[in-house]
Amino acid sequence: MVQGKSTTVSDIAVDAVAGAALGVAGKAIGNAVKNSTNSLSNQAKGKLGESVTKIKYNVRGYIRQGTDDVLTGDKTPKTNVNAKAKFDHKFKNIFTKKQITVESKFNKSGLTNNQRTVIDNGYKVKIDRTTSVGLGEAARGAIVGSAGGASAQTNR
């Protein structure tokens, strides 16, 4: 009707069946993504979270400059060297030139003691948390959304 064409009962039925089927498929794929990411090693989940963070910030105009190593002001107990907190990303915005530090975390993983120390002392760090549920929802949304777009294209 929006396109100035008549809509038939058949059009509505086909769209409803396709929407329901793709909704079920999207939910199944979303659950599979969620469950499979939960079964990854902590190292793999960390790398996945870091990759998601990089993509999110790249879209906002930030380019990764490397990691950010910040001295805590303490010495390590065993070797007596300057202790430091290592953060996953140091980004610089290509438009504003603003620099930020971002630490990626997956599900409920926490900060290290050194990271907590420098943050408690006022060092500004953004925590970007990726979750298996969020990845599953994104996969479900991508399936359902792309299917909706395909359905709209076939009705032209």
Side-chain angles (χ1 to χ4, degrees), residues 39-80:
S39 65
L40 294 173
S41 70
N42 287 340
Q43 183 179 14
K45 286 188 268 193
K47 292 294 181 192
L48 179 59
E50 290 170 25
S51 296
V52 170
T53 297
K54 186 176 175 192
I55 291 167
K56 286 198 292 195
Y57 279 87
N58 284 166
V59 169
R60 297 175 189 163
Y62 286 93
I63 303 299
R64 188 172 185 275
Q65 307 292 299
T67 60
D68 194 6
D69 297 344
V70 183
L71 295 176
T72 66
D74 297 329
K75 299 278 187 183
T76 58
K78 293 181 182 177
T79 58
N80 200 36

Side-chain angles (χ1 to χ4, degrees), residues 41-142:
S41 70
N42 287 340
Q43 183 179 14
K45 286 188 268 193
K47 292 294 181 192
L48 179 59
E50 290 170 25
S51 296
V52 170
T53 297
K54 186 176 175 192
I55 291 167
K56 286 198 292 195
Y57 279 87
N58 284 166
V59 169
R60 297 175 189 163
Y62 286 93
I63 303 299
R64 188 172 185 275
Q65 307 292 299
T67 60
D68 194 6
D69 297 344
V70 183
L71 295 176
T72 66
D74 297 329
K75 299 278 187 183
T76 58
K78 293 181 182 177
T79 58
N80 200 36
V81 297
N82 292 328
K84 61 184 170 181
K86 186 171 192 149
F87 295 101
D88 295 321
H89 310 278
K90 185 171 203 163
F91 288 112
K92 183 175 183 179
N93 190 286
I94 60 173
F95 305 109
T96 65
K97 307 301 181 213
K98 179 181 179 180
Q99 292 189 0
I100 59 173
T101 296
V102 180
E103 175 63 16
S104 301
K105 293 298 178 191
F106 196 90
N107 283 341
K108 295 180 181 181
S109 64
L111 296 169
T112 66
N113 289 335
N114 286 347
Q115 289 172 332
R116 247 185 253 103
T117 297
V118 298
I119 291 171
D120 289 347
N121 287 333
Y123 197 78
K124 302 291 183 201
V125 177
K126 295 180 181 289
I127 308 298
D128 188 79
R129 189 166 298 281
T130 301
T131 65
S132 54
V133 170
L135 290 174
E137 288 297 312
R140 182 185 64 79

Side-chain angles (χ1 to χ4, degrees), residues 4-21:
K5 299 177 183 177
S6 61
T7 300
T8 66
V9 172
S10 175
D11 290 339
I12 294 169
V14 167
D15 285 350
V17 169

